[in-house]
Amino acid sequence: MAIPTDRIYSLEGKGLKLTTAEDIEPYLAELRDVENLEEVRLNGNTLGAEASKALASVLKTKKTLKVATLHDIFTSRLKDEVKQSVVAICEALGELPDLVEVNLSDNAFGPLGAESMAPFLARHTKLEVLKLNNNGLGIQGGTTIARALLACHAECEKQGLQPALRTLVCGRNRLENGAAPEFARAFAALKTLREVRMPQNGIRPEGIAELVAGLAHNAELGVLDLQDNTFTASGSQALAVALGKWETLEALNIGDCLLGAEGGRLVIQALKNRHTLKTVNLQYNEIENDGAVALSESLRTLKVLESLELNGNRFDAEGDAVELIKAALSENDLDDDILGSLSDMEELTDDEDEDDKSDGEKDEAEQPTSAAKADEQLADLVDEMKKQLSI
């Protein structure tokens, strides 16, 4: 439910530089006057430590506050100053019984900021939405946040409460494989997550496998965004297994994740049973023609699809596979517009062509008909699907 405008206090995007308590006092006077405050928006300004402490003293009195929008509020501030600010603000937020959403994205506080907010995250059992995008957490900071979420789960169990966290945004934080095990443990324990966004974190296949194994315990997951990490075949296989658990999944973004030919096939085949999917991003994944043909088969069960992104893969934008994909969409009474642009399809480089030829020559010497059989089988599959789809 939308929050009424008279219960929102906003300084959003004003570009104010508020360093001292005196600097922020005129705005705190306005804030004090807002009755039944439910949301505060301070993003797009910069707060110093003293201003933050003054803000915290007012925030903790606003017991009806539900949403704290505090992204991009420490630009140009020194690390120690930011640490003091985060400590003060999070201590105040911890005193608000109705608070369910916190956005501290785009604040470059790194591991120190993670340490500063960890006590709040570990104790605030009603938090439903946590947004920590582009904070420079690194492995250390990410591990700290994950452990705090796990501690909050333990606190919920201690109090006989169900965990509340539904949404976690933690992209562009250089989490890498090092933070993955702790996040996986937290995800497996929570079991309540419905939206997880962790793009651009430098996570490699081993870490991806751990994360999706943890997320597999969250049966109501509806949105998963792992764009611009690295899956390859092993990470893709782990995702394919986990996809079998998410019966309400609506959005999957794994664009630019280097699934590869084999990994692409594994994931695409697993999509067949996710009938609730509305948006799928598979861009720039080195998916080849056989994967695209397999996708046309999986699409026949995705009857509520609204967006499909395939650009930057390794099959002909005007070939049989794309014709089959369009036919499958048509069979479901879905418009071709669902299929995004195919203007940047990738081709094998000369080196890769030569490697393929060399490998093919070696294989031919050992198994003369294997490549021909594979091509024949794929051609047969294409012909069979064309018949089924009446094209």
Side-chain angles (χ1 to χ4, degrees), residues 2 11 27 45 75 92 107 128 138 148 204 236 249 253 282 284 328 343 358-359 375:
L11 294 175
Y27 307 103
N45 302 286
T75 300
N107 292 308
E128 297 178 9
R204 298 191 62 78
S236 299
L249 190 68
N253 184 353
L282 294 169
Y284 299 97
S343 62
S358 298
D359 290 342
D375 289 341

Side-chain angles (χ1 to χ4, degrees), residues 136-211:
L137 296 178
I139 294 172
Q140 180 183 343
T143 298
T144 299
I145 296 298
R147 287 175 177 170
L149 297 179
L150 197 56
C152 186
H153 173 264
E155 183 64 22
C156 287
E157 287 191 326
K158 181 179 177 181
Q159 296 184 31
L161 302 172
Q162 288 293 322
L165 193 65
R166 302 288 185 270
T167 298
L168 175 66
V169 179
C170 195
R172 299 184 66 189
N173 271 306
R174 304 193 311 275
L175 299 178
E176 302 179 2
N177 281 4
E182 292 300 325
F183 272 108
R185 287 181 61 209
F187 294 162
L190 287 167
K191 299 182 177 64
T192 55
L193 291 166
R194 296 179 182 174
E195 179 176 349
V196 174
R197 299 183 184 272
M198 301 179 76
Q200 297 179 308
N201 270 307
I203 305 171
R204 298 191 62 78
E206 298 84 356
I208 292 294
E210 290 177 305
L211 287 180

Side-chain angles (χ1 to χ4, degrees), residues 112-347:
L112 285 176
E115 291 175 10
S116 302
M117 73 172 66
F120 160 69
L121 295 178
R123 291 194 300 265
H124 197 75
T125 57
K126 292 188 177 181
L127 191 66
E128 297 178 9
V129 179
L130 176 61
K131 298 180 179 180
L132 293 174
N133 201 61
N134 191 31
N135 296 114
L137 296 178
I139 294 172
Q140 180 183 343
T143 298
T144 299
I145 296 298
R147 287 175 177 170
L149 297 179
L150 197 56
C152 186
H153 173 264
E155 183 64 22
C156 287
E157 287 191 326
K158 181 179 177 181
Q159 296 184 31
L161 302 172
Q162 288 293 322
L165 193 65
R166 302 288 185 270
T167 298
L168 175 66
V169 179
C170 195
R172 299 184 66 189
N173 271 306
R174 304 193 311 275
L175 299 178
E176 302 179 2
N177 281 4
E182 292 300 325
F183 272 108
R185 287 181 61 209
F187 294 162
L190 287 167
K191 299 182 177 64
T192 55
L193 291 166
R194 296 179 182 174
E195 179 176 349
V196 174
R197 299 183 184 272
M198 301 179 76
Q200 297 179 308
N201 270 307
I203 305 171
R204 298 191 62 78
E206 298 84 356
I208 292 294
E210 290 177 305
L211 287 180
V212 297
L215 286 170
H217 293 269
N218 295 262
E220 296 184 11
L221 189 70
V223 177
L224 179 61
D225 181 357
L226 292 173
Q227 184 175 15
D228 199 9
N229 291 291
T230 302
F231 282 53
T232 69
S234 58
S236 299
Q237 183 174 20
L239 176 61
V241 172
L243 279 166
K245 306 292 184 180
W246 302 322
E247 296 186 358
T248 58
L249 190 68
E250 294 187 359
L252 177 66
N253 184 353
I254 48 172
D256 201 13
C257 284
L258 194 62
L259 304 186
E262 180 184 353
R265 285 195 305 274
L266 291 169
V267 171
I268 284 166
Q269 289 165 356
L271 295 180
K272 184 184 297 185
N273 298 317
R274 291 285 63 86
H275 305 156
T276 53
L277 276 168
K278 294 181 179 180
T279 65
V280 177
N281 185 349
L282 294 169
Q283 292 187 117
Y284 299 97
N285 273 315
E286 298 189 357
I287 296 169
E288 297 183 359
N289 198 62
D290 55 348
V293 172
L295 178 60
S296 69
E297 178 65 22
S298 291
L299 285 174
R300 299 174 72 183
T301 67
L302 306 186
K303 299 183 182 298
V304 296
L305 196 66
E306 297 174 358
S307 174
L308 174 63
E309 298 292 343
L310 297 173
N311 206 13
N313 283 298
R314 292 183 165 185
F315 52 88
D316 187 351
E318 298 179 357
D320 282 343
V322 173
E323 187 180 353
L324 289 170
I325 287 169
K326 290 180 178 179
L329 293 173
S330 178
E331 187 182 65
N332 291 337
D333 295 324
L334 300 175
D335 198 287
D336 279 0
D337 290 345
I338 286 173
L339 184 60
S341 170
L342 298 176
S343 62
D344 193 28
M345 301 304 282
E346 187 179 350
E347 296 181 2

